[in-house]
Amino acid sequence: MELQLALDLVNIPEAIALVKEVEEHIDIVEIGTPVVINEGLHAVKAIKEAFPNLKVLADLKIMDAAGYEVMKASEAGADIITILGTAEDMSIKGAVEEAKKQGKKILVDMIAVKDLADRAKEVDAMGVDYICVHTGYDLQAIGKNSFEDLQTIKSVVKNAKTAIAGGIKLETLPEVVKVQPDLVIVGGGITGQADKKAVAAKMQQMIN
Ligand SMILES: O=C(CO)[C@H](O)[C@H](O)COP(=O)(O)O
């Protein structure tokens, strides 16, 4: 199981400082969608240059023009790029094709997908690398989580790795670990804590 640190509410210098604190306890750094909106793909480039040994995920949440956007994120140094599960099949297939050409990976974010089991089977058959259940901030605010959804995709996905994101904290991590996803994505559960390094270390220990 791998641990991904999601950075959403920071600028580039803050992102670098944050990763420095926890780098030995994480596998992947996510440049979150708000960071890409604020800073552009420069943020991906800056983090990859500062931490060449960590994988960098560009959370573009692609919906269209997938091949082009995967190409640009790859050029910036992203190892993994996200596309939405609600995107057209043609877009997801285009993302996979471009990622393969570039030697990169595609994570499909299943946020807002209604027919989760069926769509997970479909995107799995398209050759994506990760399928991620995700409760976004807006649904976290009304107490939702993705723990049951993780079980759903675990039971139908045959080829891709499984992942979970959205509001995971130290206290809820045991429930996630029980279901054994391949990747656990944590933002505020680390970045919002006073001792980020200690929390990341504890999470790494629980995951392993
Ligand atoms: O993609 C995201 C929001 O759309 C976040 O990166 C993801 O939800 C993880 O952050 P947190 O653990 O704070 O929810």
Side-chain angles (χ1 to χ4, degrees):
M1 221 180 290
E2 289 188 303
L3 180 59
Q4 175 172 313
L5 172 70
L7 299 175
D8 285 294
L9 305 172
V10 290
N11 58 28
I12 294 173
E14 288 164 349
I16 290 175
L18 244 157
V19 177
K20 266 192 194 142
E21 271 188 70
V22 301
E23 63 178 309
E24 67 204 86
H25 304 297
I26 60 171
D27 304 288
I28 303 172
V29 182
E30 170 187 329
I31 300 303
T33 319
V35 179
V36 177
I37 287 170
N38 290 332
E39 304 269 8
L41 287 170
H42 300 295
V44 171
K45 192 164 188 288
I47 292 290
K48 193 64 193 178
E49 280 174 6
F51 305 98
N53 296 328
L54 289 176
K55 284 183 257 183
V56 175
L57 176 141
D59 190 16
L60 302 191
K61 295 189 174 76
I62 295 172
M63 193 62 182
D64 190 22
Y68 177 78
E69 293 183 3
V70 168
M71 179 183 76
K72 296 317 273 182
S74 301
E75 284 171 5
D79 301 287
I80 309 170
I81 300 112
T82 67
I83 185 165
L84 294 174
T86 50
E88 300 286 357
D89 289 2
M90 196 179 272
S91 303
I92 296 178
K93 287 176 188 166
V96 169
E97 193 182 317
E98 184 62 28
K100 282 200 165 54
K101 218 187 284 174
Q102 303 276 352
K104 310 292 181 174
K105 308 259 185 240
I106 293 296
L107 181 146
V108 177
D109 185 334
M110 302 300 273
I111 190 167
V113 167
K114 301 291 179 221
D115 50 345
L116 184 63
D118 288 345
R119 190 62 179 149
K121 277 190 227 166
E122 286 171 4
V123 297
D124 193 30
M126 293 176 209
V128 306
D129 300 285
Y130 297 85
I131 298 176
C132 181
V133 288
H134 181 193
T135 301
Y137 293 131
D138 297 343
L139 289 193
Q140 286 178 39
I142 54 163
K144 303 267 187 204
N145 65 53
S146 291
F147 303 152
E148 258 185 64
D149 287 347
L150 178 60
Q151 295 184 352
T152 303
I153 62 161
K154 280 289 287 188
S155 67
V156 296
V157 170
K158 302 281 179 257
N159 305 303
K161 293 182 173 176
T162 56
I164 179 166
I168 299 166
K169 305 269 183 287
L170 203 48
E171 309 81 66
T172 52
L173 188 58
E175 202 169 338
V176 170
V177 170
K178 256 195 308 200
V179 192
Q180 293 284 298
D182 298 290
L183 172 64
V184 179
I185 301 171
V186 182
I190 294 174
T191 60
Q193 308 307 312
D195 191 344
K196 299 168 190 40
K197 188 178 166 77
V199 174
K202 183 80 190 143
M203 285 186 163
Q204 182 189 41
Q205 188 194 8
M206 289 161 79
I207 277 172
N208 293 325

